[in-house]
Amino acid sequence: MKNLSSIVGLSLAVMVGSSFAADAPNIVGTWEATSGYWSQTGTDSNPAPAELSQKSVQQNIIIQVQQGNAFHGTTIRYSGESRNLAGVIGPDGRSLFFSIDYGAGTGLLSEEGNQMRYCGTTIQVTRNFAFCTIFKRVK
């Protein structure tokens, strides 16, 4: 009976674990911004007026390399400035977690895998900045 309990317990653990480990979708390629918005203010130590925009801050995300659920690439801003990006795809196969220069963000892939939502914030003492951008896969 003890062996049967162990087998049933192990089987349940495998089934539960596998339900959280979705295969990672392939997100390598170029993603183009279709819409976005952002907000910016100064800080206590660096006062500045608030700015609000209904435009995306990024123009493209280029995912260059992916291995399983881990990936890296570059974000290209409308100013032409690029920033390195490191990221992972969550166990559900749709949640995204990003780290970029001076910031962090989260996102979500559409069920079809052709659209990406990416929102983030800065981690700086000179300004507060938050944004959201919707991207579509272009290649």
Side-chain angles (χ1 to χ4, degrees):
M1 188 56 116
K2 193 173 191 177
N3 287 340
L4 181 58
S5 302
S6 297
I7 292 170
V8 169
L10 182 59
S11 297
L12 285 173
V14 168
M15 288 188 317
V16 169
S18 64
S19 69
F20 288 108
D23 289 336
N26 181 352
I27 63 170
V28 171
T30 300
W31 298 78
E32 182 178 88
T34 59
S35 64
Y37 41 91
W38 55 267
S39 173
Q40 174 176 275
T41 68
T43 63
D44 285 341
S45 62
N46 187 38
E51 294 180 53
L52 305 172
S53 176
Q54 294 300 305
K55 296 179 182 176
S56 58
V57 70
Q58 295 104 344
Q59 179 177 0
N60 293 317
I61 289 181
I62 302 167
I63 306 297
Q64 291 136 331
V65 176
Q66 179 179 348
Q67 184 176 16
N69 287 50
F71 60 90
H72 71 80
T74 306
T75 65
I76 311 293
R77 299 177 131 211
Y78 276 100
S79 66
E81 176 186 8
S82 66
R83 293 193 173 167
N84 292 323
L85 171 112
V88 295
I89 301 168
D92 63 2
R94 292 187 55 215
S95 298
L96 303 168
F97 302 89
F98 301 96
S99 176
I100 61 171
D101 298 349
Y102 314 113
T106 60
L108 186 66
L109 283 173
S110 65
E111 287 188 30
E112 302 80 23
N114 60 357
Q115 193 174 60
M116 177 191 306
R117 180 173 54 206
Y118 172 27
C119 298
T121 61
T122 58
I123 303 172
Q124 295 180 310
V125 295
T126 58
R127 71 179 183 152
N128 294 306
F129 186 81
F131 66 90
C132 281
T133 306
I134 306 292
F135 293 91
K136 69 176 181 179
R137 186 190 298 259
V138 291
K139 53 179 166 172

